[in-house]
Amino acid sequence: MHTLLASLALLLPASADAGDQFERSIRPILAEHCIACHGSKSQKGGLRLDSREAIVRGGDSGPAIEAGDLASSLILEAVGYGSEPKMPPKGKLRPEQIDALKQWVAAGAPWPKTVVLESGPAGPDPRTHWAFQPVSAPSTPEVARADWPRTSIDRFVLRELERKGLAPSLDADRPTWLRRVTFDLIGLPPTLDEIAAFEADRSDEAHSRVVERLLASPHYGERWGRHWLDVARYADTKGYVFMQDPNYHWAWTYRDYVIRSLNADKPYDRFIQEQIAADQLEPAAERDAIAALGFITVGSRFINNQQDIIDDRIDVVSRGILGLTVACARCHDHKFDPIPAEDYYSLYGVFASSNEPEVPPPLGDPAKHAEYANFERELKVREAALAAYRESKYAELQETNRRRSGEYLVAASSGRDRPNTREFMLIADGSDLNPRMINAWRRFLDSTRGKHDPIFAPFHALVKLPAEGFAKKADALLADYRAKPAADAPINPVVLETLSSARISSLTELARTYSNLLHSAHQQGHELARRKNGGKEAVPLPEPAWEELRLVFERAGCPTKLGLDQLNDLQLLPDRPSQAKLRELREKVEKWRDSGPGAPPRAMALVDAPSPGKQRVFLRGNPGTPGAEVPRRFLRLTSTTPPPAFTRGSGRGELARAVTDPGNPLTARVFVNRVWMHHLGTPLVSTPSDFGLRSDPPTNPALLDHLASRFMSEGWSIKQLHRAIVLSRTYRQASLDRPDARAIDPENTLYWRFNRRRLDFESTRDALLAVSGRLDPTVGGRSVDDMMNPGPKKRRTLYGKVDRLNLPGVFRTFDFPDPAVSNAKRDQTTVAPQALALMNHPLVMDCAKAIADATSPSAGEPKSRVAAIYRAALHRDPAGDEVETALAYLAAAGPEAPARLAHALLMSNEFVMID
């Protein structure tokens, strides 16, 4: 009744009170919060809110209001933040504003006839955002304290300090700087010999010599490779998958590519290009660079949901390299940044047109290895067994589809109103109908329903009849078909005659009759082909009506015509026994390909699809509701005109060049900001993976652009960037607190001191192994399980297997990032479990025992043993009071005391912190 009255009210002119209410309450809400995005100048989601007609018409999701119906009005759901999208996106309306909208809708949404809301003055153009401006090369500033700077970086830092009335801190002592820079560049502590050599070198080039030695170390690529692997969401497993090997057997080849590239100081722009399109570059990449494509392919597999896989790949390129949250535009235009959904789907088209080869390509030239011939021979035997099994199951499936077509027709017809079984993990027991084939038959029947089909038109008409009185109604319907002239609605005469004579009394009989007809036509064709040509090729039946029936099983889309390459394994093998056999055969192939004698390493590569597909926008992110077609191309946010469409294959090569174009203002800025963060402890831009409109501006914009422009002008050399930062006086400052400076800049955003910080997980574990003599320094190779178990020699943490679904708890305890997503900045927590892990973990205790065993003095002098333990653990001699305390402890604590003393030192802040 309420809805009826509201609807009748709409037929009457708006009252003066209604007009006043609109002007007082509704117009201000729409004008202030809605029209900018839903007016004449912009219609996000296809929705305009500047007139009553436009609101009733609605957008992509349907009408925005149902007059008088609060529950069905989408605009109320949006402003109430009850579901996505939440509107307005920048903050919820006040309660009284929401109430006013509810009263307005309940009253029928009255709107004065002459009112059309105009879009207000446009806000600032998003393209004027600081991060979207070209990178400048600011001149080196003049500073008052000219004696302090050593590099141009110091001048940019000092200028901001002087503006705030601050002064930089004193230099850190030499051992502190050496430990700091050694951990920063190679992730390991300096050795006693390295400390002694630096202390002895008092020349002006001493610091530079240290930096050059560290940058030349193969361990440099390991340390900075780990930082990049965080961005690349590296893992050795796929996440949750079904009916698949969960392991990435060749992820490690991508990890090793990263290490090699960094050690070789590969220019960053080339480094990025190879990770997007190593197979398409000019000049061509070296053969082993194909492993770089692991950057795209090493992400999660999302139960093989293709839309989620591509979304993940868009995200790792956009957030990982560009510092943009492009994936937020998957379901609608980005709420904050100038990234329309069309741009998201332009990139989607690039990755949707790129496939992973079924067999990863080998790296290097495997034929050069003596064992390769035997390896290849055995691999072919195993692959042939797998292929033969799949082909035999395919033959069974096709025979079953024909033989049991009647049962499938019943199941497909009677289940039309049930939930789509494609959404469920359906498993049969080996004798039931294949649940995914039921879906295939349903889709096939749907394809025959849209237009008159001379074979299936009677089937669809009869299926609609109610069960009660089915036979009588069927007779009448078939009589009507017989009475119609054939030209109006031709029906296959064999079908019509057979149905009429069979006296169909149920859906089951109808399906069985159709099945018998189709199977009979197929058998006649098979027998005729056998007589004519030995069954090598089909032969048309002489009677046109029977030939038309024979061709049903040959129609495109008919489940009996699906090729083996069109079926996934769940369609082919829905029962558990078959799945188990397939898994067994597949594991034999994969295990041999992975680790058989002579097996070559392989790359997690991509190749372009034979013919790149045309991409449409998925409205609301739903692939079932395609919108406008979009070309494959780069983002539009830095240009007033659309960038050119990609024309070469998938477009990955053109995308790689667009991402690394020096005119792109994001790539260099994003990278130098992260390198600065890893060296100085905090980034210049606080959100290192989001340079969009909601990011805070850089704390020192001129310094950021100085670093970015210098980085590009110096050939995108990462090592040169390291040199510039770690040899600056800014980096050399002490980390001691200064209350006067903290009062002005409590977060140290201006870098008046060095930021003290805890070692990350990898450096902590590697340092434990290094000081105890347990570290295996081998660079590269396969990932290793059981990294936290004690042992005589252990690989660096970088080489530990990263399992997305089963990451060890100790990794999480020490803030190891979630490998499911791209991470540029790790959390830094200080929690009790960290101290408990250092106190109780068997690996830590084993390292302490190794130090105690290695420092046992031949003469049995307790003082020399204390000194030896300190030098091994902390790389320094103990102070006088430390010696006395340690001697007293050794005398009182028994035979385990040396190991416990070493353990205490390994747990100390001095060991796990960087000053």
Side-chain angles (χ1 to χ4, degrees):
M1 184 68 179
H2 179 80
T3 302
L4 176 62
L5 291 175
S7 300
L8 290 172
L10 298 182
L11 302 177
L12 302 175
S15 68
D17 288 344
D20 289 345
Q21 181 205 20
F22 178 87
E23 293 295 337
R24 280 196 318 271
S25 304
I26 305 306
R27 181 201 281 267
I29 295 173
L30 297 177
E32 179 180 356
H33 299 285
C34 307
I35 298 304
C37 296
H38 301 287
S40 60
K41 296 181 180 179
S42 175
Q43 300 87 43
K44 292 189 175 180
L47 175 63
R48 292 181 66 163
L49 298 175
D50 52 354
S51 70
R52 190 180 189 285
E53 292 75 14
I55 295 176
V56 172
R57 183 171 61 250
D60 296 341
S61 299
I65 62 170
E66 295 288 345
D69 187 348
L70 304 186
S72 300
S73 293
L74 297 180
I75 194 171
L76 297 181
E77 187 174 353
V79 300
Y81 279 33
S83 65
E84 292 291 343
K86 296 179 172 62
M87 293 293 166
K90 294 186 178 180
K92 192 174 181 180
L93 296 176
R94 298 191 304 275
E96 61 270 23
Q97 292 175 310
I98 296 175
D99 288 343
L101 285 171
K102 289 180 178 178
Q103 293 171 14
W104 177 63
V105 172
W111 189 295
K113 287 184 177 180
T114 59
V115 171
V116 175
L117 299 182
E118 297 293 334
S119 298
D125 187 342
R127 289 186 293 268
T128 64
H129 178 58
W130 66 266
F132 304 155
Q133 304 312 301
V135 175
S136 65
S139 57
T140 305
E142 296 294 326
V143 292
R145 187 177 169 182
D147 63 329
W148 185 77
R150 281 191 173 89
T151 68
S152 56
I153 287 175
D154 296 327
R155 289 183 172 273
F156 284 99
V157 171
L158 184 57
R159 180 179 64 176
E160 298 306 310
L161 289 173
E162 290 180 344
R163 284 176 173 174
K164 294 291 185 179
L166 290 170
S169 294
L170 298 175
D171 289 355
D173 59 54
R174 288 166 66 88
T176 297
W177 179 87
L178 179 63
R179 187 171 190 269
R180 178 190 300 172
V181 75
T182 305
F183 270 113
D184 269 7
L185 290 180
I186 68 171
L188 295 169
T191 66
L192 288 169
D193 288 343
E194 290 166 350
I195 294 171
F198 182 57
E199 282 296 308
D201 186 355
R202 293 290 167 168
S203 68
D204 293 341
E205 293 76 30
H207 291 79
S208 295
R209 273 196 279 268
V210 168
V211 172
E212 293 309 313
R213 172 176 57 79
L214 294 172
L215 291 176
S217 167
H219 300 309
Y220 159 75
E222 293 176 320
R223 173 60 174 164
W224 282 83
R226 182 61 258 180
H227 291 318
W228 184 255
L229 294 179
D230 284 2
V231 173
R233 82 272 189 249
Y234 175 87
D236 294 282
T237 63
K238 302 171 183 175
Y240 185 71
V241 291
F242 188 65
M243 269 196 72
Q244 266 194 29
D245 181 355
N247 295 301
Y248 282 136
H249 293 282
W250 306 110
W252 64 271
T253 64
Y254 169 66
R255 181 241 295 143
D256 284 4
Y257 159 83
V258 172
I259 295 171
R260 288 195 309 273
S261 297
L262 294 174
N263 278 334
D265 198 22
K266 182 172 289 182
Y268 181 69
D269 57 344
R270 181 68 178 191
F271 180 60
I272 292 302
Q273 291 169 7
E274 289 179 352
Q275 292 180 81
I276 297 174
D279 56 322
Q280 299 184 7
L281 298 182
E282 295 178 2
E286 62 269 21
R287 177 168 177 172
D288 284 0
I290 198 73
L293 293 169
F295 178 73
I296 303 296
T297 56
V298 82
S300 296
R301 288 307 159 103
F302 307 100
I303 324 180
N304 293 320
N305 181 300
Q306 191 66 12
Q307 289 78 41
D308 288 344
I309 291 172
I310 294 176
D311 182 75
D312 170 70
R313 293 174 177 180
I314 293 171
D315 184 66
V316 77
V317 170
S318 60
R319 282 200 309 122
I321 301 173
L322 298 169
L324 291 174
T325 56
V326 174
C328 292
R330 178 179 180 178
C331 302
H332 47 70
D333 293 348
H334 199 293
K335 290 183 179 179
F336 308 111
D337 296 340
I339 305 172
E342 288 86 350
D343 278 10
Y344 173 90
Y345 286 99
S346 290
L347 297 183
Y348 188 101
V350 171
F351 294 109
S353 300
S354 304
N355 300 330
E356 294 174 69
E358 186 174 349
V359 178
L363 298 171
D365 186 359
K368 292 181 179 179
H369 301 283
E371 293 181 307
Y372 182 70
N374 291 333
F375 163 81
E376 186 74 3
R377 190 179 303 111
E378 175 63 19
L379 178 63
K380 288 179 179 178
V381 170
R382 297 183 183 213
E383 288 176 336
L386 174 61
Y389 181 71
R390 294 186 85 247
E391 288 167 3
S392 69
K393 300 305 290 187
Y394 173 70
E396 285 181 22
L397 177 68
Q398 299 300 62
E399 173 58 26
T400 301
N401 266 326
R402 291 189 291 265
R403 179 170 47 83
R404 303 180 70 178
S405 56
E407 296 171 75
Y408 276 119
L409 288 171
V410 170
S413 301
S414 61
R416 287 187 60 203
D417 298 327
R418 298 175 187 171
N420 193 326
T421 51
R422 281 177 293 179
E423 304 299 325
F424 298 93
M425 307 283 285
L426 294 179
I427 301 293
D429 64 5
S431 60
D432 293 342
L433 292 177
N434 183 323
R436 284 169 176 77
M437 281 299 108
I438 295 175
N439 284 327
W441 278 98
R442 182 176 297 141
R443 289 192 296 272
F444 175 67
L445 286 178
D446 288 344
S447 72
T448 66
R449 186 181 291 110
K451 56 184 179 180
H452 178 80
D453 187 293
I455 291 177
F456 286 98
F459 181 88
H460 294 306
L462 292 166
V463 162
K464 295 179 182 178
L465 298 177
E468 186 175 349
F470 185 93
K472 186 175 181 180
K473 292 182 176 65
D475 285 345
L477 182 62
L478 292 170
D480 186 51
Y481 273 120
R482 290 193 300 272
K484 287 182 179 179
D488 293 345
I491 301 296
N492 182 286
V494 174
V495 170
L496 187 57
E497 180 183 350
T498 302
L499 291 175
S500 300
S501 61
R503 298 300 305 269
I504 305 297
S505 61
S506 68
L507 173 60
T508 301
E509 285 188 18
L510 172 67
R512 185 182 301 115
T513 301
Y514 263 85
S515 177
N516 290 338
L517 277 173
L518 296 175
H519 203 265
S520 176
H522 171 76
Q523 289 297 104
Q524 290 179 46
H526 178 74
E527 180 61 24
L528 182 60
R530 187 188 65 78
R531 292 199 308 268
K532 294 281 189 181
N533 56 48
K536 294 179 181 179
E537 58 183 47
V539 176
L541 294 175
E543 296 182 40
W546 278 104
E547 173 62 8
E548 189 176 40
L549 282 167
R550 185 190 72 83
L551 289 175
V552 169
F553 281 164
E554 300 297 319
R555 287 189 193 180
C558 183
T560 59
K561 187 61 176 174
L562 294 176
L564 181 57
D565 59 336
Q566 296 174 276
L567 299 169
N568 62 46
D569 287 336
L570 283 175
Q571 290 173 312
L572 185 62
L573 309 162
D575 60 287
R576 295 192 187 279
S578 296
Q579 290 173 10
K581 181 63 175 179
L582 178 71
R583 190 176 297 113
E584 175 191 343
L585 293 170
R586 181 181 285 152
E587 285 176 356
K588 285 183 178 180
V589 171
E590 291 173 345
K591 186 175 180 180
W592 185 257
R593 189 184 290 142
D594 174 40
S595 56
R602 296 178 181 271
M604 294 180 61
L606 278 177
V607 295
D608 278 3
S611 53
K614 295 181 179 180
Q615 184 58 46
R616 293 185 177 274
V617 173
F618 296 157
L619 300 178
R620 297 297 175 193
N622 183 358
T625 54
E629 185 177 309
V630 291
R632 297 184 302 282
R633 64 186 178 195
F634 194 51
L635 305 173
R636 290 176 281 180
L637 80 174
T638 61
S639 173
T640 56
T641 58
F646 298 154
T647 58
R648 297 183 58 188
S650 67
R652 277 187 296 113
E654 292 153 292
L655 173 62
R657 287 187 288 275
V659 165
T660 56
D661 189 302
N664 174 359
L666 291 164
T667 301
R669 280 193 181 116
V670 167
F671 186 71
V672 299
N673 182 60
R674 292 173 181 169
V675 174
W676 180 271
M677 172 185 70
H678 289 306
H679 282 311
L680 275 298
T682 57
L684 295 167
V685 180
S686 60
T687 50
S689 287
D690 185 2
F691 275 39
L693 269 62
R694 288 173 64 84
S695 65
D696 291 330
T699 56
N700 194 326
L703 174 58
L704 180 65
D705 269 19
H706 170 70
L707 291 170
S709 61
R710 177 174 172 174
F711 179 51
M712 290 188 285
S713 68
E714 293 178 341
W716 300 78
S717 168
I718 301 174
K719 288 189 176 181
Q720 193 61 21
L721 179 61
H722 290 308
R723 292 183 183 98
I725 295 174
V726 302
L727 290 174
S728 70
R729 199 155 187 188
T730 302
Y731 181 81
R732 201 178 293 187
Q733 293 179 96
S735 62
L736 295 175
D737 187 25
R738 291 163 44 204
D740 59 328
R742 178 161 37 86
I744 297 172
D745 181 22
E747 300 297 325
N748 191 29
T749 60
L750 303 178
Y751 302 99
W752 47 266
R753 67 181 176 96
F754 186 82
N755 286 301
R756 190 170 193 252
R757 62 184 185 269
R758 198 189 71 234
L759 292 176
D760 60 18
F761 172 62
E762 292 90 337
S763 294
T764 301
R765 178 184 174 277
D766 292 350
L768 288 167
L769 297 173
V771 300
S772 63
R774 296 295 176 92
L775 181 65
D776 175 358
T778 304
V779 175
R782 294 176 180 271
S783 298
V784 180
D785 284 321
D786 302 326
M787 292 296 284
M788 296 307 294
N789 289 344
K793 285 289 185 179
K794 304 291 287 186
R795 299 295 306 280
R796 288 194 72 169
T797 314
L798 170 75
Y799 300 110
K801 181 178 180 179
V802 179
D803 188 338
R804 281 195 169 96
L805 289 182
N806 191 27
L807 199 65
V810 69
F811 281 52
R812 303 284 192 192
T813 297
F814 286 93
D815 300 322
F816 189 88
D818 181 359
V821 293
S822 176
N823 291 275
K825 182 181 180 182
R826 294 189 181 188
D827 293 334
Q828 292 186 12
T829 63
T830 302
V831 293
Q834 293 163 356
L836 292 172
L838 291 173
M839 183 183 297
N840 299 309
H841 200 286
L843 179 64
V844 183
M845 293 188 283
D846 185 61
C847 290
K849 185 176 184 304
I851 290 174
D853 292 344
T855 56
S856 177
S858 59
E861 171 60 43
K863 185 177 291 188
S864 65
R865 190 168 195 187
V866 168
I869 290 173
Y870 264 83
R871 281 195 295 270
L874 301 181
H875 288 173
R876 67 171 176 83
D877 289 320
D881 57 341
E882 292 174 326
V883 173
E884 297 306 318
T885 301
L887 288 173
Y889 179 72
L890 291 178
E896 298 298 321
R900 291 178 180 176
L901 173 61
H903 194 177
L905 297 180
L906 296 179
M907 291 170 55
S908 67
N909 275 355
E910 184 175 349
F911 184 82
V912 299
M913 301 294 290
I914 292 291
D915 282 302

